[in-house]
Amino acid sequence: MKYKIEELCEINSENISKSDDIKYIYYLDTSNLTRGTINEIQKLIVGKDKLPSRAKRKVKVNDILISTVRPNQRHYGIIRKEIENLIVSTGFAVLSPNLKKVNPEYLYWYLTHDSIVNYLQSIAETSTSAYPSIKPSVIGGLEIDLPKLEEQKAIANILSTLDEKIETNNQINEKLEEMAQALFKHWFVDFEFPNENGEPYKSSGGEMVESELGMIPKGWEICQLDDLVDIIDNRGKTPPLSQNKTNYPIIDVKALTGTDRIVNYDNCSKFVDKNTYETWFRSGHPKTGDILLSTVGSIGELKLFFGDKGCIAQNVVALRTKNISYLYLFQYMRHIKKQLISYNIGSVQPSIKITHVKKHKILVPKKDIEDSFTEIIKNISFLIFNNSIENQRLVSIRDTLLPKLMSGEIHVSLDDEVLSEKN
């Protein structure tokens, strides 16, 4: 049976007001929610912290959030767990499903299907505002052909199970990265790496000397980043790109801002043909182990490249290490990310110049200490890499199943949720 979305949901039903007796809020902005993954939630104390003017929408479990600005950037998600005093930006349309009519997960997957996202983007591009945007009523006016609630739930369970596995892998990777950064800090900030007797260096009386970066272990060096890497970039203007997949992906800023910890073919959404790859981008091909750095927009974003083909777009550079471990330097640059961001020279859009970054001072340990650290981090990185690759496969499976399940091309048996394709 066909329904309009507005018949199945309340849209933007509750806003925070002065009469609400709330001592603090958890605030979620549109930029911190992408493809169902929350990157950051701010805890703000009412009366102490300045609350953003857009912090107004109340949100509860099962609510669906869809950004009304640039829908193709996919700032959307569903609230699956209770978050006390969660308030989101007015940049979101907040849909509160009627549980008697529609399964929230089913509706979420329907609204985030590529065909719907592309339709909303096409409407946004006709808007008269300063940037592509839609009104919440556009979402409310969408039509959906709903199967019975039992079938909705069965379909949603299949898709959500894949999503939960992806989220689990993301959480594991986050913990692994925390371990890597904790080890880095212990060895190269606190200088408690094991000495020749296996004891913590600094607290065991290891000799320290003065340097440009303060006291460091004797025998260590301070170098400019420029002395440790070759810069791989695209110095010319980026040519027209296509969303039609080829063997030649473009690595742009967007490819660096996802939840994956690595960048390869599957992170990229834009492509070029072979001729453009070999001519226009002839000096901008990264190699496995290159450190990718965003210089515009989401400045300071860092990822490792793994793959055999890729083209560096404008506003991304690859740092190819020489005479230093790329795994050590990657952890070092993650540690100094705030310093990299401080090079921001953009008045309208954040941006940094690689010429400034190249002059940044880098601490270089003795080779045996660097090698020991690299060997440990290599194992952690291997686990992160495997989880990221598995996530990319799961996303591919989920995105392949989604339109087939929604259209009924693949049928779900309600007894045991077995999939079968219709002839």
Side-chain angles (χ1 to χ4, degrees):
M1 185 173 177
K2 286 191 176 181
Y3 295 88
K4 286 189 175 181
I5 300 301
E6 63 191 14
E7 296 175 313
L8 303 171
C9 302
E10 290 185 352
I11 301 178
N12 298 336
S13 60
E14 286 192 89
N15 286 342
I16 194 171
S17 67
K18 292 181 180 178
S19 63
D20 288 309
D21 184 21
I22 297 178
K23 294 180 174 58
Y24 63 89
I25 67 169
Y26 285 99
Y27 175 63
L28 178 62
D29 201 357
T30 53
S31 61
N32 296 124
L33 176 65
T34 304
R35 292 181 182 270
T37 299
I38 296 174
N39 296 324
E40 179 185 8
I41 297 181
Q42 301 178 60
K43 184 177 182 180
L44 302 172
I45 309 299
V46 176
K48 178 183 177 182
D49 298 318
K50 183 178 180 181
L51 304 187
S53 60
R54 292 162 66 88
K56 292 182 180 178
R57 306 264 193 251
K58 288 184 179 181
V59 175
K60 57 185 179 300
V61 171
N62 291 325
D63 281 356
I64 298 167
L65 312 180
I66 298 178
S67 173
T68 56
V69 176
R70 297 187 177 92
N72 66 340
Q73 292 189 350
R74 290 171 165 74
H75 295 307
Y76 54 64
I78 182 170
I79 304 302
R80 294 187 171 110
K81 296 180 181 179
E82 178 96 28
I83 302 176
E84 189 177 17
N85 297 341
L86 178 59
I87 305 296
V88 302
S89 167
T90 52
F92 284 117
V94 179
L95 284 67
S96 304
N98 182 334
L99 303 186
K100 293 181 180 179
K101 293 182 177 179
V102 65
N103 178 276
E105 293 282 348
Y106 181 89
L107 183 60
Y108 168 67
W109 290 114
Y110 173 81
L111 291 172
T112 57
H113 181 255
D114 281 348
S115 63
I116 299 297
V117 172
N118 293 338
Y119 172 75
L120 294 179
Q121 178 64 23
S122 68
I123 299 297
E125 289 172 355
T126 66
S127 67
T128 56
S129 58
Y131 35 77
S133 62
I134 57 172
K135 295 179 179 179
S137 58
V138 173
I139 300 173
L142 293 171
E143 283 193 342
I144 180 172
D145 193 357
L146 280 182
K148 292 181 180 180
L149 268 171
E150 293 81 2
E151 188 173 348
Q152 293 177 38
K153 182 180 178 182
I155 291 171
N157 281 347
I158 291 168
L159 297 170
S160 296
T161 298
L162 291 169
D163 220 35
E164 286 167 9
K165 175 57 178 170
I166 292 168
E167 180 57 26
T168 297
N169 283 344
N170 284 336
Q171 291 174 1
I172 292 171
N173 278 355
E174 189 174 331
K175 293 299 181 185
L176 289 170
E177 287 182 334
E178 287 175 4
M179 288 169 53
Q181 273 294 290
L183 182 67
F184 177 89
K185 182 178 182 297
H186 190 63
W187 282 34
F188 304 112
V189 177
D190 302 330
F191 302 120
E192 298 290 20
F193 55 90
N195 63 16
E196 60 273 12
N197 298 318
E199 300 167 333
Y201 180 85
K202 187 176 179 180
S203 59
S204 298
E207 187 175 356
M208 306 289 287
V209 297
E210 284 280 1
S211 78
E212 298 173 76
L213 298 179
M215 300 297 289
I216 64 172
K218 184 179 180 180
W220 292 26
E221 298 179 84
I222 305 297
C223 297
Q224 281 194 173
L225 179 63
D226 196 25
D227 297 326
L228 303 173
V229 300
D230 290 322
I231 305 296
I232 313 299
D233 62 4
N234 170 32
R235 298 181 184 277
K237 185 178 179 182
T238 300
L241 309 175
S242 171
Q243 291 187 343
N244 296 324
K245 289 193 173 185
T246 69
N247 289 325
Y248 310 100
I250 296 295
I251 301 165
D252 56 8
V253 173
K254 185 179 177 182
L256 270 62
T257 55
T259 55
D260 282 340
R261 274 51 181 180
I262 60 170
V263 170
N264 61 10
Y265 181 91
D266 291 316
N267 300 92
C268 301
S269 59
K270 296 176 183 176
F271 304 84
V272 293
D273 57 32
K274 183 179 180 180
N275 181 62
T276 304
Y277 176 82
E278 293 177 344
T279 56
W280 202 297
F281 290 96
R282 60 184 177 274
S283 63
H285 297 167
K287 294 181 179 178
T288 291
D290 284 354
I291 300 168
L292 302 174
L293 171 67
S294 169
T295 60
V296 170
S298 301
I299 58 174
E301 288 293 333
L302 293 158
K303 296 288 173 70
L304 284 174
F305 181 76
F306 283 87
D308 56 0
K309 284 190 177 70
C311 313
I312 298 290
Q314 284 178 300
N315 308 327
V316 173
V317 297
L319 310 178
R320 185 167 298 160
T321 56
K322 51 187 182 183
N323 302 320
I324 193 169
S325 161
Y326 75 87
L327 292 174
Y328 167 77
L329 186 60
F330 180 66
Q331 293 299 327
Y332 192 99
M333 295 193 70
R334 287 188 65 221
H335 180 72
I336 63 168
K337 182 176 177 179
K338 288 184 178 179
Q339 296 175 47
L340 298 178
I341 293 173
S342 71
Y343 290 123
N344 179 21
I345 59 170
S347 56
V348 178
Q349 181 175 219
S351 64
I352 54 178
K353 284 190 174 181
I354 193 61
T355 50
H356 295 165
V357 176
K358 287 196 298 185
K359 296 176 183 177
H360 196 92
K361 301 298 183 180
I362 304 293
L363 175 65
V364 180
K366 281 185 175 180
K367 190 72 168 62
D368 60 330
I369 301 301
E370 179 192 317
D371 288 346
S372 296
F373 176 78
T374 297
E375 193 60 34
I376 298 171
I377 293 298
K378 187 186 297 180
N379 294 327
I380 295 175
S381 298
F382 179 76
L383 293 173
I384 291 173
F385 175 80
N386 280 350
N387 285 337
S388 295
I389 291 298
E390 182 181 26
N391 273 1
Q392 289 171 353
R393 289 171 181 158
L394 290 170
V395 167
S396 178
I397 292 169
R398 184 195 66 195
D399 292 350
T400 300
L401 283 176
L402 179 56
K404 296 179 182 293
L405 288 167
M406 290 293 174
S407 67
E409 182 180 344
I410 292 181
H411 177 68
V412 180
S413 170
L414 299 184
D415 293 333
D416 50 8
E417 294 181 13
V418 174
L419 302 180
S420 62
E421 259 189 272
K422 289 185 178 180
N423 293 327

